[in-house]
Amino acid sequence: MPGKILITGGSGLIGMRLSEMLIDLGYEVAHLSRNPNKVSSYKTFKWDVDSGYIDDNAISYADYIINLAGASVADEKWTEERKKEIKNSRVDSIKLLHKCLDSTQNHVKGFISASAIGIYGDSGDRLVSEESTYADDFLAEVCKAWEEAAWQMRDLHLRTVIFRMGIVLSKKGGALPQMAKPVKLMAGAPLGSGKQYMSWIHIDDACRLFIKAIEDTQYEGVYNAVAPHPVTNEEFTKELAEIMHKPLVLPNVPAFALNLMMGEMSEVVLASQRVSANKVLQTGFTFEFNYLEEALESFYDPI
């Protein structure tokens, strides 16, 4: 029974692919955007989080709201200013939606929001689940505030689902093209010790999870959005080089060099996150891409 889906952050990596997949399934899709006049193939409503404005028609349009809004964590160095923006962009957008849902007649049945596995911090080799303790570094603080804001939707009696996203693999952006670039130039190397775990998910599986959360009302609360088989950074780099038919020639890129280049942001690539997909698997969800090799082959055709 397809309905109308309103997406925040719809022009981002996940938002674009998710919009395509929803349309293919017969849903109607609209985006919330700061500049709705930008040419878009989707119906677009205006909102401006900074000034607290949202077009009321957006709220009355939606059957479900998917929240993907937030300033990119990996685009710029983490100055104090940027860190504030990373956090506020996530929290304030949800607060604005909450305020409007509270004050506008609507028929919204559910709120599905992204969060991130950054909430667990660096967990070493330990497999973490949704019940695991949270870290207290910057990314964990962002995720905690993000999820706290999303939980407020339950005051409005909305079924609320939060997906803690792993590293989303796509050829069109995010981590994969960044990792593939040095490999392509035959300068690929594991980062830091290379032993840190990476919990990844193929973009199509990530989108299928969001769709499943719309369609299957048993989804409520927090789920890790990660494929069932995390790999170490070294395994990831080797697998990628193999599929791209490139040798790995360089020694590991030392952690201190990454710290110099990226500052505090280096924790994004150096933290070890081995995250369990069990809770999602128990809902009956099947991953199209369980293993990294299948996922990478879908982007880089083996020659």
Side-chain angles (χ1 to χ4, degrees):
M1 220 327 266
K4 296 178 174 173
I5 315 296
L6 180 67
I7 302 179
T8 75
S11 60
L13 190 65
I14 299 175
M16 288 308 277
R17 182 69 183 124
L18 180 56
S19 300
E20 286 171 11
M21 287 170 77
L22 284 165
I23 295 280
D24 286 349
L25 290 168
Y27 286 90
E28 286 182 47
V29 171
H31 291 175
L32 274 171
S33 171
R34 267 189 310 238
N35 38 356
N37 307 332
K38 217 173 56 188
V39 183
S40 164
S41 24
Y42 300 100
K43 187 180 180 65
T44 309
F45 296 103
K46 183 172 171 61
W47 77 333
D48 187 326
V49 176
D50 295 339
S51 62
Y53 170 80
I54 190 167
D55 182 340
D56 288 343
N57 296 319
I59 298 296
S60 47
Y61 163 90
D63 293 315
Y64 289 91
I65 297 176
I66 291 183
N67 175 54
L68 304 168
S72 166
V73 169
D75 279 1
E76 299 172 23
K77 259 197 166 172
W78 289 354
T79 58
E80 283 313 306
E81 198 50 40
R82 182 61 179 171
K83 282 162 86 168
K84 216 183 291 174
E85 194 183 340
I86 286 171
K87 186 169 171 182
N88 294 350
S89 60
R90 286 161 171 74
V91 174
D92 295 349
S93 49
I94 299 179
K95 281 186 177 159
L96 178 57
L97 288 167
H98 183 278
K99 194 176 119 191
C100 297
L101 282 161
D102 199 17
S103 59
T104 312
Q105 273 269 291
N106 68 77
H107 48 89
V108 175
K109 301 186 192 69
F111 181 78
I112 301 159
S113 181
S115 175
I117 59 172
I119 200 162
Y120 306 118
D122 186 337
S123 53
D125 290 349
R126 199 165 47 91
L127 187 68
V128 293
S129 73
E130 290 79 358
E131 281 74 56
S132 297
T133 49
Y134 305 152
D136 46 19
D137 57 30
F138 168 64
L139 285 181
E141 295 300 339
V142 168
C143 294
K144 284 185 259 188
W146 200 359
E147 293 186 10
E148 226 164 85
W151 282 138
Q152 293 174 357
M153 292 296 183
R154 293 195 296 192
D155 314 343
L156 306 175
H157 309 294
L158 278 186
R159 181 167 67 88
T160 302
V161 182
I162 294 175
F163 285 122
R164 291 179 179 156
M165 310 302 296
I167 298 166
V168 177
L169 299 185
S170 159
K171 216 175 166 178
K172 294 186 174 162
L176 186 57
Q178 300 295 334
M179 294 180 76
K181 215 180 293 171
V183 172
K184 211 180 269 170
L185 301 171
M186 297 207 265
L191 303 175
S193 70
K195 294 189 176 22
Q196 69 275 32
Y197 273 91
M198 297 171 66
S199 291
W200 57 275
I201 185 169
H202 189 291
I203 187 154
D204 288 2
D205 279 334
C207 294
R208 286 171 60 239
L209 257 182
F210 278 95
I211 295 165
K212 176 96 165 155
I214 292 169
E215 295 175 348
D216 184 343
T217 53
Q218 72 165 315
Y219 275 76
E220 189 143 10
V222 177
Y223 299 85
N224 293 328
V226 292
H229 301 284
V231 293
T232 64
N233 177 269
E234 193 167 357
E235 289 168 323
F236 193 106
T237 315
K238 280 186 177 151
E239 196 85 62
L240 186 55
E242 211 163 288
I243 277 169
M244 296 175 79
H245 300 285
K246 299 287 186 192
L248 284 184
V249 285
L250 294 180
N252 292 18
V253 178
F256 75 85
L258 288 165
N259 286 328
L260 278 178
M261 286 187 311
M262 302 168 75
E264 206 181 337
M265 192 165 88
S266 63
E267 69 189 53
V268 176
V269 293
L270 293 174
S272 181
Q273 300 198 302
R274 191 177 175 199
V275 179
S276 164
N278 271 351
K279 190 174 173 185
V280 154
L281 290 168
Q282 280 163 6
T283 65
F285 181 81
T286 46
F287 285 85
E288 205 176 318
F289 301 95
N290 282 285
Y291 290 94
L292 182 65
E293 189 179 357
E294 311 165 318
L296 293 178
E297 279 177 356
S298 76
F299 301 119
Y300 303 100
D301 300 332
I303 301 157

